[in-house]
């Protein structure tokens, strides 16, 4: 389906509600009016963040209007993670990651959403991936930033317990969100997010969400092998994995890419970027997102003109296939994003694509 400019402009309305689910109330912000002929962008934040601190810089960027003028957006916040949230009662058992993913069908039903394009970061990426595995008919596509598909091992669990005793919650969350170099050099960014965690988030609630994330099970996915078992459990929708090259999640994201269907998955590594690419490099993330959506058949090439004309950053592409590597320098970022679009539209191409920009 191609959405043209003339039938896609609407004045967004904003609805803010607490949606009741089997696992507690989740705070949701719905922007725009859902339509039957297109999915809604559904976001889910990472630990220590909410929809504002995780996505506001991305969605307030001028380039994002090229997407949101076509697609309504539903921001979902985990129980107790929204601003001014009251402390969760001691009797409340915080949902597991699996349970949080199973809370999402209630959100879709509440707002009358038929399908979504998921945009998640860290814990939110894991939750959306689990949701897509269990409800593939509800998910058209996924953009997953900093996803870690693995469960915490025994040594990781021990290290986490020791860290709990020796470090503040703020230090733990900062180390989860940002790379070591970023923490040491980008003092303004780190100070901003440390202040956000300390002053706008309920500390007890954050700790509950963080414990739930660190107790996650492994994401049950396996790469289909040509000539082997092609009916393995995997994500069935087009998927874009995004990670900054200084993110603490680099190895985890690469591992996730190795486990997914190479005909439906693109890995985008972003240079000069750490743990929150959607905050530090929003224009590049938006461009990748837009070409990803176009690759799914939802945007016409004509509607890309304004975004393309504003893109002047440089990039390089690395495409890996069957042990060979081809590197080509490009002077325009849109060349790399064209490759994202082409990779997602042509599922007959059996290559797994890795882009670096």
């Amino acid at each position: 389906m191609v959405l043209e400019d003339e039938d896609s402009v609407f004045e967004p309305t904003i609805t803010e509600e607490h949606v009741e689910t089997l696992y507690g109330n989740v705070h949701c912000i719905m922007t725009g009016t859902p339509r039957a002929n297109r999915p809604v962008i559904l976001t889910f934040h990472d630990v220590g963040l909410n929809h504002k601190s995780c996505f506001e810089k991305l969605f307030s960027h001028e380039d994002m209007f090229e997407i949101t003028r076509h697609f309504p957006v539903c921001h979902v916040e985990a129980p107790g993670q929204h601003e001014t949230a009251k402390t969760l009662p001691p009797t409340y058992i915080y949902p597991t990651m699996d349970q949080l993913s199973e809370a999402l069908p209630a959100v879709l039903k509440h707002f009358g959403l038929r399908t979504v394009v998921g945009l998640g970061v860290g814990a939110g990426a894991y939750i959306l991936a689990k949701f897509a595995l269990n409800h593939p008919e509800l998910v058209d596509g996924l953009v997953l930033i900093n996803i870690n598909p693995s469960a915490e091992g025994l040594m990781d669990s021990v290290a986490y317990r020791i860290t709990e005793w020796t470090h503040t919650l703020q230090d733990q969350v900062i180390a989860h969100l940002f790379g070591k170099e970023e923490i040491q050099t980008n003092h303004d960014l780190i100070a901003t997010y440390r202040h956000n965690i300390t002053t706008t988030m309920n500390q007890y609630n954050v700790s509950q969400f963080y414990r739930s994330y660190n107790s996650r099970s492994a994401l049950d996915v396996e790469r289909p092998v040509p000539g082997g078992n092609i009916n393995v459990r995997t994500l069935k929708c087009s998927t874009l994995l995004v990670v900054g090259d200084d993110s603490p999640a680099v190895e985890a994201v690469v591992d996730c890419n190795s486990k997914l269907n190479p005909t439906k998955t693109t890995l985008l590594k972003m240079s000069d970027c750490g743990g929150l690419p959607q905050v530090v490099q929003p224009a590049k993330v938006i461009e990748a997102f837009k070409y990803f959506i176009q690759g799914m058949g939802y945007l016409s090439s004509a509607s890309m003109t304004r975004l393309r004309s504003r893109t002047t950053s440089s990039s390089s592409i690395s495409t890996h296939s069957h042990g060979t590597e081809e590197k080509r320098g490009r002077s325009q970022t849109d060349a790399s994003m064209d490759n994202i679009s082409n990779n997602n539209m042509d599922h007959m191409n059996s290559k797994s694509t890795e882009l670096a920009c």
Side-chain angles (χ1 to χ4, degrees):
M1 178 180 295
V2 177
L3 304 180
E4 302 295 344
D5 286 348
E6 57 267 24
D7 69 350
S8 303
V9 179
F10 58 91
E11 290 295 327
T13 57
I14 300 177
T15 303
E16 187 170 348
E17 298 185 42
H18 290 272
V19 178
E20 184 177 351
T21 77
L22 292 175
Y23 306 104
N25 291 342
V26 293
H27 186 241
C28 301
I29 299 90
M30 184 77 197
T31 302
T33 303
R35 296 188 177 186
N37 65 343
R38 69 198 67 174
V40 169
I41 297 171
L42 184 80
T43 77
F44 211 119
H45 58 88
D46 200 357
V47 170
L49 307 177
N50 52 39
H51 89 279
K52 286 186 178 180
S53 54
C54 194
F55 296 112
E56 185 173 47
K57 191 162 186 180
L58 186 74
F59 281 91
S60 63
H61 195 283
E62 62 175 342
D63 290 348
M64 183 54 90
F65 176 69
E66 298 293 326
I67 296 175
T68 56
R69 70 194 299 242
H70 297 284
F71 296 93
V73 180
C74 181
H75 297 291
V76 180
E77 296 177 314
Q81 307 304 307
H82 58 281
E83 288 186 357
T84 70
K86 295 181 180 180
T87 301
L88 295 167
T91 55
Y92 177 69
I93 300 176
Y94 206 86
T96 65
M97 293 289 104
D98 290 2
Q99 289 172 334
L100 286 172
S101 73
E102 287 304 310
L104 294 178
V107 173
L108 270 64
K109 182 178 180 180
H110 179 85
F111 289 106
L113 313 182
R114 297 179 62 184
T115 60
V116 301
V117 174
L119 171 59
V121 181
Y126 179 96
I127 290 166
L128 289 176
K130 180 71 74 170
F131 173 57
L133 283 170
N134 293 333
H135 304 277
E137 73 284 358
L138 299 178
V139 183
D140 280 1
L142 288 172
V143 178
L144 306 175
I145 301 174
N146 297 338
I147 186 171
N148 188 339
S150 302
E152 292 290 307
L154 178 60
M155 294 303 295
D156 294 321
S157 298
V158 172
Y160 170 65
R161 294 304 177 189
I162 293 175
T163 301
E164 274 193 310
W165 299 331
T166 59
H167 294 74
T168 66
L169 176 65
Q170 294 88 343
D171 288 336
Q172 296 174 56
V173 173
I174 290 295
H176 164 76
L177 295 174
F178 300 101
K180 292 181 180 179
E181 181 177 347
E182 200 169 20
I183 293 174
Q184 294 172 356
T185 60
N186 199 337
H187 300 296
D188 290 342
L189 178 69
I190 302 305
T192 296
Y193 276 84
R194 188 181 295 276
H195 177 77
N196 173 76
I197 296 165
T198 304
T199 61
T200 67
M201 304 292 290
N202 184 297
Q203 302 293 287
Y204 174 80
N205 297 353
V206 171
S207 69
Q208 295 300 299
F209 187 31
Y210 194 27
R211 283 200 184 102
S212 177
Y213 176 65
N214 282 309
S215 300
R216 68 190 180 278
S217 59
L219 200 63
D220 184 20
V221 291
E222 183 179 350
R223 170 168 287 198
V225 179
N229 185 3
I230 61 173
N231 295 318
V232 296
R233 182 173 167 84
T234 189
L235 293 174
K236 300 185 183 302
C237 61
S238 297
T239 303
L240 174 62
L241 306 180
V242 181
V243 67
D245 61 3
D246 188 40
S247 169
V250 169
E251 291 183 7
V253 175
V254 172
D255 177 53
C256 186
N257 182 61
S258 71
K259 295 177 179 178
L260 298 179
N261 188 337
T263 69
K264 294 180 178 290
T265 307
T266 299
L267 170 60
L268 176 63
K269 284 186 179 179
M270 300 185 63
S271 61
D272 300 322
C273 188
L276 295 180
Q278 79 281 9
V279 172
V280 178
Q281 300 276 8
K284 284 187 177 182
V285 173
I286 292 166
E287 189 179 18
F289 191 21
K290 186 156 190 180
Y291 278 95
F292 175 74
I293 292 174
Q294 186 191 31
M296 293 168 57
Y298 283 111
L299 289 173
S300 68
S301 58
S303 70
M304 311 291 279
T305 305
R306 278 177 289 182
L307 181 62
R308 232 182 241 197
S309 68
R310 286 196 292 265
T311 304
T312 57
S313 56
S314 61
S315 67
S316 62
I317 301 175
S318 300
T319 302
H320 299 267
S321 176
H322 305 297
T324 64
E325 178 178 83
E326 181 184 3
K327 294 185 178 179
R328 295 175 292 175
R330 297 288 183 96
S331 61
Q332 296 292 327
T333 301
D334 62 6
S336 68
M337 300 313 167
D338 279 336
N339 199 34
I340 291 178
S341 176
N342 293 336
N343 181 69
N344 285 322
M345 285 191 292
D346 185 5
H347 288 168
M348 291 186 295
N349 187 341
S350 62
K351 295 187 293 184
S352 174
T353 304
E354 179 180 327
L355 308 176
C357 70

